[in-house]
Amino acid sequence: MTPDNGTHQAPDGTVYTVQGPTYRSDIEWIVLIHGVGMQHGVWAPQIEALSSSHAVLAYDMLGHGGSPMPPECVNLSDYAAQLLGLMDHLGIAAANVVGHSMGALIAIEFALTHATRTLRLAALNAVFKRTPEQRSAVHSRAAELHRLGTQATIGSTIARWFGDPVPDALQQAATSIAGYLRDIQPEGYARTYDLFASSDEKHAGQLHRLCMPTLFLTGEYDANSSPEMSCAMGREARHAIVEIIPGERHMMTVTAPKAVNYSLSRWLGTSTQNTLNLRGSSD
């Protein structure tokens, strides 16, 4: 089942949108998975750029936007199962899977457990093996979120993602992102952030199993999803491309969309033929 372009709701309650030439059987699909605190609309610059040549699916992860709440003891497999169910609902046999931040963790989890459904993998601003200082900081932010609530932490989040003060050129983007944070499901956000804070080593020692072309892309000044992390992941994955966008921070998908889209377009041009025989059969 492939719906017309627009916003829809799957039988499990997942809210999603499809754009591009979804009616063409020869077109590859791209799935876009947003980060914690966001909604599928944050991908607007990528949807606009990619939907001219690909069928694009973007959706709200569990506990975000209009999608249902994750279970209380949620784990990454629950988020990967949400994507699998959505692809099954839409009749998508395999897709190029792109995730940002928390979405990158979900994308990697999906690719590791459903290799036959993953054409290529792109992990944007991904976290991996945090230092003790980085781990302490993210757990402090999770505790602050529980103690003060979502609204009280928006200012510090925007400062971390865009700078303090926010540069004039980024004011519009920062305002848009703050709007998503104000509109969040508080409990869904908190549960997802707790998982995000504790999952940076979830895929350590497993990335060598990724059998598809994989892009690790982050910003030069993203202190929490650092270039060092992307390089470390690239060393473990056997079909990896590592790229760093100069001068950018965590929300580079909205602050530097042309650079991000250019990297994604090159990644989409990489051949999958040499890795087809390496794909697992875990589905």
Side-chain angles (χ1 to χ4, degrees):
M1 172 186 173
T2 302
D4 296 329
N5 290 356
T7 301
H8 306 267
Q9 191 166 36
D12 68 354
T14 295
V15 169
Y16 66 94
T17 185
V18 291
Q19 302 291 334
T22 58
Y23 56 88
R24 289 180 53 182
S25 61
D26 61 325
I27 291 294
E28 287 186 357
W29 279 85
I30 301 172
V31 176
L32 302 172
I33 314 171
H34 63 77
V36 65
M38 298 293 100
Q39 299 177 24
H40 72 266
V42 75
W43 289 108
Q46 285 68 50
I47 293 172
E48 181 180 4
L50 299 172
S51 59
S52 62
S53 56
H54 290 75
V56 181
L57 165 64
Y59 68 98
D60 294 341
M61 72 168 68
L62 296 172
H64 291 69
S67 290
M69 189 73 64
E72 188 170 351
C73 296
V74 68
N75 54 54
L76 286 176
S77 63
D78 294 306
Y79 293 90
Q82 180 192 23
L83 173 53
L84 181 65
L86 186 54
M87 288 176 62
D88 286 347
H89 169 63
L90 295 173
I92 301 172
N96 300 288
V97 182
V98 182
H100 174 258
S101 192
M102 174 65 178
L105 290 174
I106 297 168
I108 294 170
E109 179 75 7
F110 184 86
L112 285 170
T113 54
H114 303 292
T116 60
R117 308 294 293 271
T118 310
L119 296 174
R120 300 175 186 85
L121 167 67
L124 279 52
N125 303 88
V127 294
F128 187 66
K129 294 184 179 179
R130 293 183 178 104
T131 66
E133 293 77 16
Q134 289 168 330
R135 187 168 293 114
S136 176
V138 73
H139 282 293
S140 293
R141 290 195 292 272
E144 184 178 66
L145 181 62
H146 284 282
R147 185 175 69 254
L148 301 178
T150 303
Q151 302 306 312
T153 63
I154 291 175
S156 61
T157 299
I158 294 299
R160 189 171 66 253
W161 288 352
F162 292 92
D164 187 12
V166 176
D168 290 343
L170 301 182
Q171 285 288 346
Q172 184 175 353
T175 299
S176 175
I177 295 303
Y180 285 122
L181 292 171
R182 282 192 294 271
D183 194 39
I184 199 67
Q185 299 180 34
E187 185 59 29
Y189 182 32
R191 290 181 187 180
T192 307
Y193 200 93
D194 284 345
L195 181 63
F196 173 70
S198 60
S199 296
D200 59 292
E201 293 195 0
K202 173 67 165 60
H203 301 125
Q206 300 186 51
L207 298 181
H208 69 280
R209 296 197 293 110
L210 293 171
C211 57
M212 65 290 297
T214 300
L215 170 65
F216 297 106
L217 178 67
T218 195
E220 178 185 9
Y221 298 134
D222 190 342
N224 301 296
S225 304
S226 67
E228 291 78 12
M229 291 179 178
S230 286
C231 289
M233 288 186 283
R235 286 191 295 270
E236 289 198 14
R238 51 183 166 171
H239 304 287
I241 304 164
V242 179
E243 295 183 4
I244 311 300
I245 298 181
E248 291 302 319
R249 291 171 174 264
H250 194 64
M251 295 305 296
M252 64 188 193
T253 54
V254 296
T255 61
K258 289 184 179 179
V260 170
N261 295 345
Y262 180 65
S263 289
L264 290 176
S265 66
R266 290 194 300 177
W267 161 76
L268 287 166
T270 58
S271 174
T272 61
Q273 292 304 308
N274 292 333
T275 60
L276 288 175
N277 63 327
L278 296 175
R279 293 192 184 283
S281 57
S282 57
D283 292 311

